[in-house]
Each structure stands twice: as structure tokens, then as C-alpha cells.
Amino acid sequence: MSFWEKLFPFARRVPAAKNPQSALERIRAGKPDNSAERAIAQAAKAAEDVLRQRPYDVQILGALAMVDQKIAEMQTGEGKTLAAVLAAFAMVQAFGAVHLLTANDYLASRDAAWMGPVYQRLGLKVAALTQKMSQAERQEAYQADVLYATANEVGFDYLRDGLALRPVERVSGKFVSCLIDEADSILIDEARIPLVIAGGAEPLADVVHRLAAFTPQLQFGRDFTFDDYQRNVLLTQEGAARIEQSIGCPNLYAHQHNRVLEAAVNAIHAQTLLRRDVDYLVRDNAIELVDEFKGRVAQNRRWPAPLQTAIEAKEGVPLRKQGRVLGQITLQSLINMYPVRCGMTGTAATQADEFRKVYGLEVVVIPTNRPAIRRDHSDVRFQSKWEKEQALVEEIARFAKTNRPILVGTGSVAESERLSALVAARSIPHQVLNARQDEAEAHIIAAAGERGAVTISTNMAGRGTDIVLGPGVAELGGLYVIGTNRHESRRIDNQLRGRAGRQGDPGDSRFFVSYEDDLMQRYKLGADRDVEHLQRVVEGQNLDARTLLWKYEGVTEGHRREFREWRDGVLDGDVPPREKRLILEKIDEAWSDYLAQVTALREGMHWVSWAGKNPLNEYLLTVTELSDGLYGWVEKEVERRMEDPDVEEEPLFDRGSTWVYLVDDQTWGSMSLRAFRGLMRLLGMKPVT
């Protein structure tokens, strides 16, 4: 029994064939053998009647895998959208409802409208949930048999429901089953990202602005250094003294100045490690994060509060409210609320171990409908970025003369625009697709397979896109995909390669890399080292990090479920309305305090190592004590307010106006961990990992 089966003993399974090929043959012969096969056969017939499109065998195989609660790896252009319909109908028949979680609002609306007539033929109600919908529209959408939505929107609704003061304010209903499109993105790339609902306070602007003005004067080596992977800022003694003098702080490392130390380290981080037009854009007088995996603006996402504020001060834009966290949940925890889960994506096999270990989900590689004939060439390596870019321009110019379409995948907005300038200097017509042109994405991608098309893109063109070849392009060799950087994950590279060669089309892919690229520099990769071996090592390290994070988060996730059940019981119970509101307000106040204490505790747990204790054990014990104390505190506060007339007019917990956002993954480690590593290094001790 897997970890998740032990954690979710109520999870159910649809009867599925042990031999999918035999199941396929029975479905094709009109002799389905169980409820899942009958449902898929019925949905396939409806799709053929409504869309005039007979599902491919591989689409049925993909549906069978998903109905068996697995991840189906289906290549681009193989018809995942229709395969999802076949699986979704079977899941509704078995469980009553399904949430089909997709990449963005556009796809949720498109797929619900596109496949809506098929569901209607099957007697089901389908809806799409999007960001701008009203409360009433959301409530109606959640009543559908099949709901298309982003995981973020479902999570934000769940958090908002957790602050409802009346039952009628809730919208989201029950979590029954989910089918996840782009499963590797949601379950791996974004799994650690917390969704947050907050309300309240302004940042400490004065110190932040003074630090933003002073930190450019600090020097690397003298005042601060980086860790081996350039993810953490480490202050030197001289650097700490300079900062103390500049802002009038007597001792950065004194307990009462923790927030100043945090602001100082984040100011240096913002100045030195985060780059405009690479990690973020400045648009409409605000900071917009760029999703490193997708190459597009990460909607509604922020960095952890102190770093977000430091970036805003660095760029001179208004400081946004950070506020008091009222509730949060990671996407990993959100998905695990569904007792029945499955998914599909074009790239899952390289992360099969992680899907199995973390989620208890097996990966099934579905064959392509037609044999794949794309040629994936070996990397071309260069000593410097300058040499690489010159060779790239020559390669683009050479193939542009043949009218063969070219897609160039770059690592950042800045790189895409720099390469565009070099190509323009050679008078080569081309299109640029990056986070600045996200609204034109569909138009640019639609033309990327035409004769003579040259498209320079970030990772936006590497996921969720289907580039169709224009007339005569197959005879020219199909789409030529060029990557300008290797990513830490093989999946991201494979996504880019997968833009070429859809449905048996010809195509080629090749990566141009240099020893000055970020990946090579970060891991000191030399000519004698294999890139894919390095990627496998890094993938293993990232899995270890996510596994460790879950050990810390697992206990708080359990407390969140317990507290939410308690709150929902009060909300739905027969408590008198005046009294009910008081209890709910006190529960919300207690939970917000708990989250603040847990965050501070987690960032400070590495200090426990000074006493030779195990940080994880100490954390689990302390967090459990915090949770146990909440219930008694709420009961006492409610009794005090109900019995003492002198405090009756005391203001209730002020949540202020609330808003929702995502916190970007803190891959560089917490402030306390960074500071602790710096101190240990200064003392000549081995840093804690």
C-alpha cells in the first residue's frame, strides 16, 4: 500500500482492465466488459456523433489509463482534450462529478465550450470557472457535473470559503475527483507554491527604501558572498557592519532586529540575484513575475513578502500591501484533497518516480497515433554565449533561406529580445513571443508552422501549444526547433522538442549551449560532463527538497484539515447567529496567529542545530503544541466575550479587505537559514543543509 493510500483510505477506484489493449479491442467491438469500458465506449460514440471525429485508439488508451487513476503521457497533437472527455464521463458515472484542472482560464473556457456539446449529448452539465466570475456564477459553476478550471481558482475559492461567515457565502462544494491537464506542471513544478488569502497591513516602507538605496554600494566578496549555487546571500562581518552603520541599527543579529536583517538580506538578493526581464518584468508600474517553466507572466503571483517588497523598492514602484496571512494551502495539498486523482501531460516519464513516491500515481506512456519521425540531434557546444549567439544567427539565416519554419526557444525575455535584435540586424523577418506579448500568443503560435516563419520565444512555446504545419512544409523537413539553453529538468527540454513532429510530421530539434549558460555555471559543468546526467542529478536533488518540505508541511496540513472541519461544523451548526459569528471570528484569528508562528518557527528551526537537536523533530513537536493550544484559546476567548459585559464592545478580529495571491517558491532558502549559513561560515563551521 502506497503512502497516499494509507493517508487517504477512502480513495476509490473505477474498475479497470488489467490489459488495456484487450479493453480497447472490446470497446471497438462493442462488447465492453465493465462500467469504465461502457462509459468510455458511450463517450466515444457521442464524440463521433457530435464532432464527426472518431477517437483514435491512443485516445481511448489514454482515457483507460486515467480512469485507472494514472498519469497518461500523451505527446503533443495526440488529442489529449478529447481523451479527457472520455475519462471524465467515466469518472462522473462512477463518482458523481469531476473537476478538470487545466493550465489557464483561456483553456478552461475553450475546452468547456468546445467539448460542451459532447457532454450535453451524454446528459451532463458542463461549466468553466474563470477569474472574473461573480460569487453567484461560481456557485452555479460548481454545481456542474464537469467543471473546467485552473487549480489556482479552485484553491482560491477554497480559501475564501474558509472565511465565510454564513453558509450561503460558500461556493466550492465538495472535492470528489479531478483530472489534471499538464499534470507535471501542477504536481511537480508548481506543487510547492502556496496559495494565500491575506488582509490588512502595509509594509515597513522607510527601512526598505533606505536599504534599496544603500545596497548597490555593497561589494561582492567584501560585504557579501553567495552559496555554491548562487541562490543564497551570505553577509560578511564587514558587510553587516556597513549595513548597521547606514541604517542606524546597533546589531543586525539581535533578536529584536530580525526583520531588519531579513530586509537587508532580501535587499541584496533583489539587487544581485534577481534580474529584470529575466525573473520579472516591470509593467504598468508594478512587478510581474515570470514563470521560469512557462516563460510567461505568472498571474497573481508574488515572492515571499520581504523579497517582493525589496524588488518593488529596487525598481521604484509602489509597495504593495503584504498583509496578514489568513489562510494558505499548497497546490500539492489542494490536489491531495481529491480522493480520486489522475492526469495527462506530454512529459511525465522522466518524473515517474516522483509521481509514484509523492502522489501514488503511476505513469503510463501512451504510444503515438502515427510513428514519430522527428530527429533529435546532439547539442552543439560553445565556449562563450557570444559565440553561441553568433552561431545561432547563422543557423537561423541558413534555414530561413529555405523557407523552412523555425522555432527558437530561449531562456528569458531578455534573451529572446537580444536574439531578436541580432536576427533583425540580418533583415530576417520574425516574430517574438514572450511575457510581453502574452496576449498575442494564440496568433503567433497559429502561424509558427507556416512556410518561412521564424519564431523566437521563451518557454511559452514549450507547453500547451500545437503548431500545425502549413502546406508544403512537410516536404521542406517540417518544423526546426532550436533551444538556446538546457534547463535543470529534462521535461522542459523535451517539451520544447515536442513542438516538432506532431502526428507523424517530420521535424528536427537541436540545442545550442555554451559553458557560460546559467546551468553550466551553476553546476560547474565542463567539457567532460554529460548534461543529461547532470539533469538527472538535479532532478533527484529537487525531489529530495520537495520530500523534505512535505515532511515539514504534512503536520500543518493535518492541522489545517482539523481546523477547517471544526470551523465548517460551527458554520453549519445550530449555534445562535450572534454567538456563531463570534466563534468564527475567533477561530480565524487563532488560525492566522498559528500560521504566523509556524512560518517564524520554520525559518528559525535551523538555529536549533546549535543545541545539537534534530530540527524536524523539534519542529513537529512545537507545531503540534501550538495547534493543541488553539482550541482552548478559542473557547476561553468566546466565554470571556459572552460573559463579561465590559468587553462586549471590543472590536472583533479585523481581517480588513482581503485578496488572494500565490507565493513564488523560495528555492534559495529562508532568511534565517541564509543568515545561519553565513554565521557558521564566518566561524569556520560546516554549514547546515
Side-chain angles (χ1 to χ4, degrees), residues 599-614:
T599 299
L601 180 67
R602 188 181 301 173
E603 291 193 347
M605 281 314 299
H606 297 275
W607 299 97
V608 176
S609 296
W610 281 104
K613 298 179 180 178
N614 182 296

Side-chain angles (χ1 to χ4, degrees), residues 416-604:
S416 68
E417 294 177 344
R418 185 170 64 250
L419 184 58
S420 171
L422 294 173
V423 170
R426 296 287 293 269
S427 300
I428 301 172
H430 64 283
Q431 292 280 348
V432 178
L433 177 60
N434 60 35
R436 297 192 207 278
Q437 290 84 29
D438 48 7
E439 293 182 358
E441 178 179 1
H443 171 74
I444 294 173
I445 287 298
E450 299 294 329
R451 290 175 63 93
V454 176
T455 308
I456 298 173
S457 176
T458 59
N459 287 339
M460 288 177 71
R463 182 184 286 280
T465 55
D466 196 2
I467 298 175
V468 180
L469 299 185
V473 170
E475 289 73 19
L476 296 175
L479 182 67
Y480 180 23
V481 172
I482 304 174
T484 67
N485 294 272
R486 285 293 202 132
H487 196 273
E488 283 190 0
S489 170
R490 290 171 292 166
R491 283 182 303 108
I492 309 302
D493 294 345
N494 292 339
Q495 286 160 13
L496 181 61
R497 291 191 193 275
R499 298 315 95 193
R502 64 178 292 278
Q503 281 293 320
D505 286 340
D508 292 86
S509 73
R510 175 179 279 119
F511 282 86
F512 282 52
V513 298
S514 84
Y515 295 108
E516 292 181 346
D517 291 347
D518 288 348
L519 180 68
M520 309 292 198
Q521 290 290 306
R522 189 178 303 150
Y523 296 99
K524 299 178 175 59
L525 189 70
D528 59 335
R529 298 283 301 281
D530 174 59
V531 173
E532 293 201 358
H533 171 74
L534 170 64
Q535 290 173 315
R536 286 191 291 271
V537 171
V538 175
E539 287 165 1
Q541 292 175 347
N542 289 337
L543 172 57
D544 290 343
R546 285 189 282 267
T547 302
L548 178 62
L549 181 73
W550 178 248
K551 290 179 180 178
Y552 277 90
E553 286 185 343
V555 64
T556 54
E557 170 62 11
H559 295 158
R560 184 194 60 73
R561 287 174 180 257
E562 292 171 3
F563 234 63
R564 182 62 176 262
E565 288 177 5
W566 181 28
R567 192 187 195 281
D568 286 345
V570 173
L571 187 60
D572 295 324
D574 296 327
V575 183
R578 186 189 170 278
E579 188 175 344
K580 178 180 289 189
R581 182 184 177 94
L582 173 62
I583 296 172
L584 293 174
E585 293 276 9
K586 287 301 177 184
I587 290 175
D588 293 343
E589 183 176 359
W591 184 247
S592 180
D593 288 342
Y594 169 85
L595 290 175
Q597 291 179 72
V598 166
T599 299
L601 180 67
R602 188 181 301 173
E603 291 193 347

Side-chain angles (χ1 to χ4, degrees), residues 83-101:
V85 174
L86 309 183
F89 179 64
M91 294 171 75
V92 171
Q93 295 294 95
F95 310 123
V98 64
H99 290 173
L100 211 157
L101 304 179

